[in-house]
Structures are given as structure tokens and as C-alpha cells.
Amino acid sequence: MMRRIPFLALLALLPACTVGPDYNPPEPGVPPTWSGGRAGGAEAVETTWWYGFRDPVLEDLIDTALQDNMDVRIATARLAEAQALTDAQRARNLPSLDASADAQASGDVSGDAVSATGAGLGAALAFVPDVFGGRRRQIEQAEATEAARRFDIEDVRRLTAASIARSYIELRRSRARLDLLTTSLELQQQTLDIVRQRAEAGLSADLDVQRAASDLARTRSQRGSLDIAEAGALHDLAVLTGRMPGTLDLAPAGETVIPGYADPIRSGVPADLLRRRADLQAAERELAAASAAIGVATAELYPAFSIPGSITADLGSADRIVGDTVARIGAAVSVPVFDNGRRRAGVEAARARADQALLAYERTLLEAVGEVEDALVAIRAIEARTAELERAVSASEQAFDQLDALYREGLASFIDILDAQRTLIDSRESLLDSEADHALAIVDLHRALGAPVAAGG
């Protein structure tokens, strides 16, 4: 055995090579600036961007969701699994040792006498030298997968913060629409009362009363839809914060208006997405793992060496105090000879999966750039629309007030006052929706820009 040890040591210290391609991160081309919307600059995007809405309720909801959201917790558990698998792959590259023990006894089965006849201890050594780097590629694959799972957590947090903000804005929209509905109903009720008075005095036709009553009923019917939208937004917020739907008690704020965004909107440049978007970083790490898997499959084409060993010790028996101790160590090699092309097909399959991972990365990048472009264009267009709607509301209010006064004096027709009333209500609703859409576009922009999300405090 002692003569074999130099050979075995030499085998273990063979200059190891690492088969398979060495990974190089992709260098995708991105445009230098955004094509639509604001010009970017390299300003840093706030990690607590939702603080720009200056709404403590929204801040508390997002801070809670970043801790208790189920998707965040699932992603965290997946990271723990990936970390354990990485540790397991590292351990496989080291020698292993298993111990065993045994004892024998004999006696007269017809009596009570039992005597020990012997006992022994043993240990088995196993070591597989990573001559061609297959194990090292497995470790690379596991480490890249672990990093991807870590970026997955950041991406889930990014999406969760944006989902909370969107649901909260929809909640505020529903409640603001309910307030506006109350105002519209009061306005229409006043008109109906005036028409009835004029009809009783013989100054208006009964048809005008029916038209006014019909408009009032149609407006009142909108409450059901708005109640459904409010409840849906509340349920979404409950689920996103890890609570049972129906248990989130979110009383309306003192002023149910759409929150405006007070901070400057910073878009940066497209190249910033490569370091900010966690889904892009996760896709890049998945590509690295797929590249390492090619090396794992390629190593199967080469011989596999192993160094088994064992030590056994006889602890003796009743008539022999000290037994024998035997140590063995050896070397083995397994050489692939013929497998009908199975191993080479495995290599080709690994290369195809790497190609898929590269395409998935490039698709993720295209989608990320497109999301930012869409959000920037939407913000610019909605701002212009909101400005026009503000002017429309102001003009509609003045027109209605003038026609209302003329109608009371009998100098304007009921159709004129009814049209002016409908125009005013529609303009107010459109302005409210535009303000909500603007807030949602800002949320979409920050979600697309992908700044790492940090909980405030």
C-alpha cells in the first residue's frame, strides 16, 4: 500500500483543466438616450421613490409589503434553497469519510448465556479528483443560480412596491370619483328641483322633468361600480401586504384626491438599466449558469477518476484482546466508450439551453427599454391632456353658471342647461381620471427604471 501512495498523490495533483466555454457577460447595445419624453441625465433614481407622493398611508403600505408580501417571502425561501445547493456542490468537490461499527455475539439458545465474540470499526474514504473541471463548472452553475435568486428577491420587491402604489392610486381614484359623484348628484338634484318648480308653474314641459330625473338616476347608478372598484383595490392591497382580503381597514384620508408627485422625475439613460433592473441581472446570471452547464455536460465525455480507501479495525474478542487493523487505498478510472451519442447529445442540449438563456436576456432588455419609453411618452401626453382638461373644467363651470342663471329667468332652454350640466360633469370626471393616470404613469416609470427598492423608515 505504501508503494501506491506516491502514485495516488500524483493522480490527485494532476494539472486540472476546465472543459467547456469560459463565460463572458453579454454586451448588449442600448441607445444613448431615450427617444421619447424627458431627456435623461445620469441622475440616480430614488430607492424610495414613492415618498415623492407625500402620502404616509402609501409609505406604510409599501414598507409593510416589502416585509410581509407572499411573493417576497417565497423568493427569499428560494434563495435559501439555492444557497444550500451551492454549499452541497462545494462539498462534493472534497473527500468524504464514512464510519461504521459492528459487533457479533453468540450463546446457547436453550439457556440464558450469551457471550460476545468480536467487534470492529471501519472507515471508508471516497475522493473524486476534478481532473477535467466538471465539478468546478457545477459550482459555477450553482453560484450563478444563487445570485439569480438573490436578484429575484430585488425584482419582486420592485414589482411589489409598484403594485401597491398602483392599487393605492386606484383606491384613491374610486374614492375621489365617489366624492365627485356626490357633487354631481347634488347639482343634478338642484336642476331637477328647478325644473319641477317651473313645470308646476306651467313654465316647463313635463318632458323636461323626465329628462332631468333620468340623468339623475343614471348618475346615481354609477355608485355600484365605484363601490366595487373601491372594494377591489382594498382587497388587492390586503393581499399585497400579506393579509386576508377584507381585513384591511384603510379609512379614507381627510381629502380624497389623487396624490400628486412632488419630486423631480429622473429617468437617467438607457445604459443605467443594465445595473439597476434586477430582472436583467437575474437573467444575466441565468445565462452564466447555462454556460457553466455546458462545461458540466462536456466533462461527461472524459474519463472519471476516483480514489477509494478504507480502514478496518478488529477490536478483539473474549479470547483475543487486540485484533488486526487493515488500511486500503486505491485508484479507479471510468472511461466512456460507447453510449450511442447520449453524452454528446447532452452537450448539445446544454448549448441550446444557453442560447435560450441569451435570447431571454435580450428579450428582457428590450422589454425593459420599451417599458421606460412607454412611461415617458405617457407622462408627457397625460400632462398635456391634464392641462387642457383643467381649462375645460374651468370653462364648463362658467358656462353652466351662466346658463343656470339664464334658465332661472326663462332666457335659456332646458336642453342648453342639460347639455352644460353633462359637459361639466364629464369634464370633471375626465380631469380626475387624467390626474390618476398621471400618477399611475409615474409609478410605471419608476417600476421600469428598476431602482433597487429600499424600505423607508
Side-chain angles (χ1 to χ4, degrees), residues 1-6:
M1 182 194 72
M2 298 302 295
R3 288 193 297 271
R4 295 178 186 173
I5 291 177

PDB file of all heavy atoms in Angstrom, residues 1-6:
ATOM      1  N   MET A   1       0.834  -1.203   0.000  1.00  0.00           N
ATOM      2  CA  MET A   1       0.000   0.000   0.000  1.00  0.00           C
ATOM      3  C   MET A   1       0.859   1.239   0.000  1.00  0.00           C
ATOM      4  O   MET A   1       0.572   2.216  -0.688  1.00  0.00           O
ATOM      5  CB  MET A   1      -0.899  -0.012   1.238  1.00  0.00           C
ATOM      6  CG  MET A   1      -1.841   1.189   1.315  1.00  0.00           C
ATOM      7  SD  MET A   1      -2.570   1.364   2.953  1.00  0.00           S
ATOM      8  CE  MET A   1      -1.113   1.917   3.854  1.00  0.00           C
ATOM      9  N   MET A   2       1.961   1.218   0.772  1.00  0.00           N
ATOM     10  CA  MET A   2       2.805   2.400   0.863  1.00  0.00           C
ATOM     11  C   MET A   2       3.429   2.726  -0.479  1.00  0.00           C
ATOM     12  O   MET A   2       3.683   3.889  -0.787  1.00  0.00           O
ATOM     13  CB  MET A   2       3.886   2.190   1.916  1.00  0.00           C
ATOM     14  CG  MET A   2       3.336   1.980   3.324  1.00  0.00           C
ATOM     15  SD  MET A   2       2.308   3.372   3.862  1.00  0.00           S
ATOM     16  CE  MET A   2       3.558   4.651   3.908  1.00  0.00           C
ATOM     17  N   ARG A   3       3.658   1.692  -1.297  1.00  0.00           N
ATOM     18  CA  ARG A   3       4.230   1.964  -2.610  1.00  0.00           C
ATOM     19  C   ARG A   3       3.221   2.632  -3.528  1.00  0.00           C
ATOM     20  O   ARG A   3       3.568   3.293  -4.492  1.00  0.00           O
ATOM     21  CB  ARG A   3       4.739   0.658  -3.240  1.00  0.00           C
ATOM     22  CG  ARG A   3       6.001   0.111  -2.588  1.00  0.00           C
ATOM     23  CD  ARG A   3       6.615  -0.983  -3.447  1.00  0.00           C
ATOM     24  NE  ARG A   3       5.726  -2.126  -3.579  1.00  0.00           N
ATOM     25  CZ  ARG A   3       5.703  -3.169  -2.738  1.00  0.00           C
ATOM     26  NH1 ARG A   3       6.511  -3.184  -1.687  1.00  0.00           N
ATOM     27  NH2 ARG A   3       4.877  -4.169  -2.949  1.00  0.00           N
ATOM     28  N   ARG A   4       1.909   2.462  -3.254  1.00  0.00           N
ATOM     29  CA  ARG A   4       0.901   3.060  -4.110  1.00  0.00           C
ATOM     30  C   ARG A   4       0.667   4.538  -3.809  1.00  0.00           C
ATOM     31  O   ARG A   4       0.170   5.276  -4.648  1.00  0.00           O
ATOM     32  CB  ARG A   4      -0.446   2.330  -3.941  1.00  0.00           C
ATOM     33  CG  ARG A   4      -0.413   0.886  -4.401  1.00  0.00           C
ATOM     34  CD  ARG A   4      -1.781   0.266  -4.135  1.00  0.00           C
ATOM     35  NE  ARG A   4      -1.785  -1.156  -4.424  1.00  0.00           N
ATOM     36  CZ  ARG A   4      -2.801  -1.954  -4.150  1.00  0.00           C
ATOM     37  NH1 ARG A   4      -3.880  -1.444  -3.573  1.00  0.00           N
ATOM     38  NH2 ARG A   4      -2.747  -3.223  -4.435  1.00  0.00           N
ATOM     39  N   ILE A   5       0.984   4.971  -2.615  1.00  0.00           N
ATOM     40  CA  ILE A   5       0.625   6.319  -2.190  1.00  0.00           C
ATOM     41  C   ILE A   5       1.220   7.397  -3.081  1.00  0.00           C
ATOM     42  O   ILE A   5       0.524   8.344  -3.472  1.00  0.00           O
ATOM     43  CB  ILE A   5       1.000   6.524  -0.716  1.00  0.00           C
ATOM     44  CG1 ILE A   5       0.067   5.666   0.145  1.00  0.00           C
ATOM     45  CG2 ILE A   5       0.920   7.987  -0.314  1.00  0.00           C
ATOM     46  CD1 ILE A   5       0.370   5.731   1.611  1.00  0.00           C
ATOM     47  N   PRO A   6       2.520   7.350  -3.465  1.00  0.00           N
ATOM     48  CA  PRO A   6       3.036   8.397  -4.372  1.00  0.00           C
ATOM     49  C   PRO A   6       2.247   8.479  -5.678  1.00  0.00           C
ATOM     50  O   PRO A   6       1.983   9.574  -6.180  1.00  0.00           O
ATOM     51  CB  PRO A   6       4.481   7.976  -4.607  1.00  0.00           C
ATOM     52  CG  PRO A   6       4.829   7.180  -3.392  1.00  0.00           C
ATOM     53  CD  PRO A   6       3.581   6.436  -3.033  1.00  0.00           C
TER      54      PRO A   6
END
